[in-house]
Amino acid sequence: MKKLFTLTILACMTLFVSAQTVTGVVVDPSSGDPLIGATVIEKGTTNGTITDIDGKFSIVITEPGEPVLLVSFLGYNPQEVSVMGDGNVSLGNIELAPDGLGLDEVVITGTMDIVRDRKTPVAVSTIGVREIQAKAVGNVEFPEVMKNTPSVYVSSQTGFGDSQMWMRGFDQINTAFLLNGQPINGMEDGRMYWSNWSGMSDVATAVQVQRGLGSSKLAISSVGGTVNIVTKTVENQQGGFARFMVGNDGYLKGTLAYNSGLVGKWAVSALVDHWQADRKWAEGTFGQGQSYFLSVGFKPNERNTFNFLVTGAPQNHGQRWSQSLETLEEDPKFNQHWGLDSDGNILSERYNYYHKPVMNLIWDFDIDERTTLSSVLYASFGRGGGTGDYGRGRIRTEEGQVDFAAIEASQSGIGSFGDNYARRASVNNHQWYGNVTTFKKNLSPDVDVSVGADVRFYRGDHFRQIVNYFGLSGWNESFRHATRPSDYVVNESYSVNPWAALTNFAPEGQRIAYDYSENINYQGAFGQLEYTPGNASTFIQGSVSNQFYQREGRWSDIGKSDSVNKLGYNVKAGASYSFDLSNIIFFNAGFYSRQPFLDNIFENIRYSNDFIEPEIENENVIGLELGYKLFLESFAANINLYNTNWGNRTNVSTFNNDAGTPDDESDDFAQRNIERGISQVHRGIEIDMRYDFLNGFLLKGYASFGDWKYTAIDRVTVFNDDTGALIGEEDGSDLSDVHVPNAPQTSFGIGASYRWNGISFFADYNYYDRLFQRNNFNSSETFLREEIGTLDPYSLIDAGVGYRFNIGESGLELRANVYNVLDSFYINQTDPFGFLNGNGRTWNLSLKYIF
């Protein structure tokens, strides 16, 4: 064994010494713009790569002699480039001539707001397709690929798709997410549910994280930053892949993808997969789902390009909510929300199921050499929800799990809320249509102007339905309904299968607890002027938007509410100066007048058409940023200073008062908090760097130091959401000594990767500190405005290794990843009623056949 180990080390050292790395930049010959996602392949092999946001590529040669690179991009003539010389070689700019018939491979940058590091004066980090597919495929949440970015914190949770993300201390409600130019935050409350986007790891070609106000032209909720997710459209080369993956706790995944290549004026790319698992890591977190992706490209003539895309990720998974600290320290995998039914099958009381097909049609019109029109027309149709208990008849085992078999054995006849138990689903269906159109004109070599429109139409339907009666023949349900008699009974149950949820949900007569709809219409206009004289780059942006709100009740408050229109706007400007193409400084500033979310303007969104009085006004956001960028041949670094003031916030939130242990559940209730006039300041410094060295080795690091505090709150009012009873109220307080919780205000990380001759490896270390617990102004018992402590600092190590080898014109790739290598136990978040911990050691192993 020792001899084998020594030989292995010597072989690796030999490979390391003899490796040859070739770099270059693929550009458009007329504009000089980089071609993002161009394919670079070592001719005669399957060894290849694609260009990044700046058009750059780096490839390690695998064959001896004088290799030839085949460089291609849809819409351009492919080019063969000979690599001359020994050692590392830089090919400089490679210009591809347009063929006049092809298709653009990457979605329209006019609606994407993709920026290049060297030019645009914002703090930005870009993650490429190789890193995405190496680190975030399988039993890992998609946001995990961004956790090595300064000021980005991903709180991994133990349910599939339940992770949360923070940027500069702002949660994902206040971070804007775009998919190919399409806003995807929830229209009602800004939330992101990553379970709906589990297929992104397989179809994303890049993720760009713009911290702070960023460069997005849209009037979107980018208080913390903007995340642009770029999916692939159609690919130049014919072929595809089949992959099989296994992981811990019974995780299985199979994926099949195919690209037609360019056939006349058409090209098609498609992907489907299926996954399932006994659990993610904690008990009762089983799950399964599918992903599908179809992209069809068409170019009828030289000036027009169309691309149609449809994607979705139907899924269902068991969930785990907060626990007491004592419970987690005794058993980190404990989950009080699952049990066995009468047939011995595992069943989760807290269970998420959803199917959200998303489609968009992209049109790119080159009006002339200096004028373009870009437009994305999109739609999504969400169906599904989350399950929970209904009634006071829960029975538990001695171990603390729900005893579904005992519940069913104890029940018969018509049930009622005070005496019996059923499992309900809170359904959240929606229809969402929109369009983003951008017109861009190059007025001179130094001046570009862009104007556009952003229009959205949204309707969300919310109600509850029963999915399991556990031996009951029906349920007496008249509570809070304005017209139902006291003996009204519902008796139908509905599937929690995400495919069935598209059409199988309760009609009005079978709905329980509440039933209402929310209508939102949004109209926005935006503009941008860019001036880039010499070594300078400047921009100024502005947008204005009108948002229409209306609630329609069908339960305790029948009819439509009054309609409300809120006008919002923003203005931002920035400038950068390059001293010598290697040293760049930048500054930007902006102001947002942001409309409140619909859910934050009603007294009780579930039961009432009445607005909160006095009327909720717009939030105000002021952002300032100063940065320095350094670019050398093999080294790059960024330093950013930021200050964000966020004032006049209103937060209306509902919590289930479930402390996570059986002894505390006798006092379960839904608690609703109305918090008005919240203000806070987030300031900090961010540092990140990368060093390419030694034939395929890449070293990356980052550090973030924040000082995020509340400054004041005007009023807090707390209600029992089930009964409407007032629990408590208190007027304004000084919060200047209260830190913003749930994201570490100190973090740093370092990562290394290596790629040569089919071998790839990565290892990442992340450290988190000054992670404050949630403070008490969300508590039902007190309104104390004081610190209640910090969570223990913790660190995580992730690592992965892959090997790819050729089989004729095909290839095989074997990859193994391990997350939380040391199996560390850590608490990564709190909520008003308990603690949440991340996953222990998890792993996956995959075999991919490329054809």
Side-chain angles (χ1 to χ4, degrees):
M1 178 61 72
K2 183 177 180 180
K3 183 178 181 180
L4 177 62
F5 178 76
T6 303
L7 290 173
T8 302
I9 294 297
L10 290 174
C12 290
M13 292 177 64
T14 302
L15 294 176
F16 168 76
V17 171
S18 62
Q20 182 183 28
T21 300
V22 179
T23 60
V25 184
V26 183
V27 299
D28 180 282
S30 59
S31 66
D33 289 339
L35 298 181
I36 308 168
T39 302
V40 181
I41 295 178
E42 184 181 357
K43 190 175 181 179
T45 75
T46 60
N47 177 39
T49 186
I50 67 171
T51 57
D52 63 16
I53 294 295
D54 293 316
K56 296 179 180 179
F57 70 88
S58 176
I59 186 170
V60 179
I61 299 303
T62 61
E63 299 294 326
E66 295 184 356
V68 174
L69 299 182
L70 177 62
V71 184
S72 60
F73 189 75
L74 285 174
Y76 293 78
N77 293 316
Q79 184 179 153
E80 292 187 0
V81 181
S82 297
V83 178
M84 308 297 291
D86 299 325
N88 297 338
V89 175
S90 174
L91 299 176
N93 286 355
I94 300 172
E95 297 181 345
L96 297 186
D99 65 9
L101 294 175
L103 294 165
D104 295 328
E105 186 173 7
V106 174
V107 296
I108 305 157
T109 57
T111 57
M112 275 300 301
D113 290 321
I114 290 292
V115 304
R116 296 192 291 278
D117 290 358
R118 290 178 183 265
K119 184 178 180 181
T120 309
V122 298
V124 60
S125 300
T126 303
I127 300 106
V129 63
R130 277 190 165 171
E131 186 172 356
I132 295 170
Q133 294 186 356
K135 297 181 179 181
V137 176
N139 49 351
V140 182
E141 308 301 325
F142 183 70
E144 295 270 333
V145 77
M146 294 177 267
K147 73 179 184 180
N148 297 303
T149 302
S151 293
V152 171
Y153 177 59
V154 179
S155 174
S156 62
Q157 301 300 317
T158 53
F160 287 99
D162 291 338
S163 289
Q164 300 181 51
M165 187 181 122
W166 281 259
M167 193 181 302
R168 290 185 174 175
F170 300 101
D171 62 17
Q172 56 196 23
I173 292 175
N174 298 293
T175 299
F177 295 88
L178 299 174
L179 175 66
N180 295 343
Q182 170 186 341
I184 58 176
N185 292 77
M187 284 285 289
E188 300 168 313
D189 54 15
R191 295 184 183 277
M192 279 293 295
Y193 299 94
W194 292 107
S195 55
N196 297 335
W197 308 101
S198 61
M200 284 297 101
S201 299
D202 290 313
V203 301
T205 59
V207 176
Q208 187 170 86
V209 180
Q210 299 177 18
R211 300 183 296 280
L213 297 179
S215 69
S216 174
K217 305 176 188 70
L218 305 183
I220 48 182
S221 308
S222 52
V223 182
T226 304
V227 176
N228 291 294
I229 303 171
V230 185
T231 68
K232 68 178 186 178
T233 53
V234 290
E235 294 190 2
N236 187 31
Q237 287 197 320
Q238 182 183 14
F241 71 85
R243 181 184 61 217
F244 179 70
M245 180 180 293
V246 298
N248 57 282
D249 296 301
Y251 183 85
L252 301 171
K253 181 177 182 178
T255 308
L256 180 64
Y258 179 73
N259 309 302
S260 70
L262 187 61
V263 181
K265 297 181 179 182
W266 294 84
V268 177
S269 291
L271 178 144
V272 293
D273 76 15
H274 173 85
W275 65 272
Q276 62 188 53
D278 298 333
R279 64 185 186 185
K280 187 178 181 184
W281 180 74
E283 297 172 345
T285 54
F286 57 88
Q288 68 169 355
Q290 298 80 38
S291 298
Y292 55 87
F293 172 89
L294 174 66
S295 180
V296 181
F298 174 58
K299 188 174 181 69
N301 52 53
E302 293 185 10
R303 294 193 179 276
N304 291 276
T305 301
F306 296 91
N307 194 90
F308 173 76
L309 178 149
V310 59
T311 185
Q315 58 78 39
N316 54 72
H317 68 276
Q319 297 181 296
R320 181 176 79 162
W321 284 12
S322 58
Q323 313 288 309
S324 69
L325 185 59
E326 294 78 10
T327 298
L328 290 176
E329 289 175 340
E330 181 179 347
D331 182 4
K333 296 186 178 183
F334 178 79
N335 180 4
Q336 78 276 19
H337 292 308
W338 71 279
L340 301 178
D341 64 16
S342 56
D343 295 322
N345 300 315
I346 293 178
L347 191 65
S348 177
E349 184 178 70
R350 299 288 180 179
Y351 178 87
N352 178 270
Y353 68 103
Y354 214 75
H355 190 178
K356 181 184 173 73
V358 176
M359 57 195 72
N360 62 51
L361 176 64
I362 300 170
W363 174 37
D364 187 6
F365 179 29
D366 294 329
I367 300 173
D368 58 41
E369 292 182 355
R370 299 170 62 179
T371 312
T372 62
L373 181 70
S374 303
S375 184
V376 53
L377 180 68
Y378 61 86
S380 67
F381 308 91
R383 298 289 186 271
T387 71
D389 60 299
Y390 199 62
R392 301 292 187 185
R394 182 195 287 120
I395 300 174
R396 289 194 178 274
T397 66
E398 292 182 359
E399 293 77 18
Q401 264 61 63
V402 183
D403 194 337
F404 293 109
I407 292 171
E408 184 167 355
S410 68
Q411 299 189 146
S412 62
I414 305 298
S416 62
F417 193 88
D419 300 320
N420 297 102
Y421 178 95
R423 187 161 158 255
R424 51 80 183 165
S426 299
V427 178
N428 303 300
N429 294 345
H430 77 251
Q431 297 79 236
W432 184 354
Y433 310 92
N435 173 258
V436 179
T437 298
T438 302
F439 174 85
K440 184 175 182 179
K441 180 72 174 180
N442 178 229
L443 300 179
S444 74
D446 297 333
V447 180
D448 290 314
V449 63
S450 302
V451 295
D454 174 15
V455 181
R456 313 172 205 171
F457 302 93
Y458 177 92
R459 178 180 175 88
D461 299 317
H462 307 278
F463 53 88
R464 282 182 172 174
Q465 61 191 21
I466 292 182
V467 299
N468 196 321
Y469 288 93
F470 294 104
L472 299 171
S473 58
W475 190 273
N476 180 253
E477 181 61 40
S478 61
F479 179 64
R480 284 190 180 273
H481 199 283
T483 62
R484 284 180 177 175
S486 59
D487 59 351
Y488 191 90
V489 173
V490 297
N491 53 19
E492 296 293 333
S493 61
Y494 298 89
S495 173
V496 292
N497 180 290
W499 288 94
L502 288 174
T503 57
N504 181 28
F505 48 84
E508 290 185 22
Q510 292 292 320
R511 297 175 182 179
I512 62 172
Y514 56 82
D515 183 10
Y516 66 96
S517 297
E518 296 173 306
N519 297 300
I520 304 173
N521 296 336
Y522 178 99
Q523 310 90 37
F526 54 84
Q528 174 177 284
L529 179 66
E530 294 178 277
Y531 179 48
T532 56
N535 292 343
S537 174
T538 63
F539 79 92
I540 183 170
Q541 295 178 2
S543 68
V544 61
S545 61
N546 176 66
Q547 197 157 197
F548 164 91
Y549 311 86
Q550 189 171 49
R551 181 188 183 278
E552 181 180 352
R554 292 180 292 274
W555 201 262
S556 58
D557 200 345
I558 295 175
K560 294 182 179 180
S561 72
D562 294 336
S563 61
V564 173
N565 286 73
K566 294 280 187 181
L567 191 69
Y569 64 92
N570 70 51
V571 60
K572 339 182 236 193
S576 68
Y577 184 78
S578 175
F579 294 96
D580 54 9
L581 299 181
S582 295
N583 295 274
I584 302 169
I585 60 171
F586 74 87
F587 171 79
N588 64 57
F591 175 79
Y592 271 87
S593 176
R594 191 179 82 159
Q595 302 103 319
F597 292 116
L598 181 146
D599 283 4
N600 286 352
I601 67 174
F602 287 93
E603 277 191 359
N604 190 322
I605 193 63
R606 287 181 176 175
Y607 303 118
S608 173
N609 283 339
D610 296 330
F611 296 101
I612 294 174
E613 296 292 343
E615 180 180 339
I616 302 299
E617 302 294 339
N618 284 8
E619 302 169 0
N620 300 318
V621 183
I622 300 174
L624 301 172
E625 188 165 4
L626 177 67
Y628 168 72
K629 303 178 181 184
L630 173 65
F631 294 95
L632 301 176
E633 182 177 354
S634 58
F635 178 78
N638 300 281
I639 301 175
N640 305 304
L641 303 172
Y642 65 89
N643 187 96
T644 303
N645 288 267
W646 188 15
N648 201 36
R649 286 186 55 203
T650 297
N651 183 48
V652 179
S653 51
T654 302
F655 303 98
N656 186 70
N657 188 1
D658 181 347
T661 56
D663 294 339
D664 296 326
E665 293 185 305
S666 59
D667 294 326
D668 283 3
F669 64 91
Q671 171 186 313
R672 178 165 45 91
N673 300 342
I674 301 176
E675 302 149 5
R676 298 193 59 149
I678 307 170
S679 59
Q680 56 199 77
V681 177
H682 294 229
R683 57 175 63 96
I685 181 171
E686 303 162 338
I687 304 169
D688 67 290
M689 60 190 69
R690 56 179 291 155
Y691 180 34
D692 297 278
F693 71 114
L694 299 178
N695 300 327
F697 273 98
L698 172 64
L699 186 66
K700 298 173 67 175
Y702 75 91
S704 305
F705 306 96
D707 182 23
W708 312 326
K709 289 184 178 181
Y710 295 100
T711 55
I713 188 168
D714 289 344
R715 173 182 288 187
V716 180
T717 310
V718 179
F719 297 87
N720 184 313
D721 201 48
D722 293 334
T723 65
L726 178 67
I727 297 174
E729 186 172 18
E730 183 174 310
D731 288 333
S733 292
D734 177 7
L735 299 181
S736 57
D737 292 327
V738 179
H739 287 85
V740 175
N742 286 339
Q745 304 205 17
T746 298
S747 62
F748 62 83
I750 187 170
S753 63
Y754 171 63
R755 183 177 295 274
W756 185 89
N757 198 20
I759 300 172
S760 61
F761 169 81
F762 80 86
D764 293 324
Y765 171 84
N766 290 276
Y767 176 84
Y768 307 104
D769 197 2
R770 297 178 62 232
L771 183 55
F772 293 88
Q773 296 185 37
R774 190 163 188 138
N775 30 49
N776 285 7
F777 66 76
N778 274 335
S779 170
S780 63
E781 299 176 354
T782 180
F783 301 117
L784 292 176
R785 311 299 205 276
E786 60 185 27
E787 295 287 4
I788 58 173
T790 58
L791 301 178
D792 291 337
Y794 70 93
S795 59
L796 296 174
I797 297 175
D798 303 329
V801 62
Y803 180 65
R804 176 172 172 170
F805 55 93
N806 300 327
I807 305 177
E809 296 184 356
S810 301
L812 278 178
E813 184 176 66
L814 181 66
R815 169 162 292 280
N817 290 342
V818 182
Y819 307 91
N820 191 0
V821 172
L822 301 181
D823 197 22
S824 302
F825 169 75
Y826 58 99
I827 304 293
N828 60 4
Q829 191 181 333
T830 58
D831 66 22
F833 306 109
F835 297 79
L836 296 88
N837 70 302
N839 301 295
R841 184 188 298 118
T842 59
W843 59 269
N844 60 57
L845 177 67
S846 63
L847 179 65
K848 184 177 182 180
Y849 174 62
I850 304 158
F851 58 90

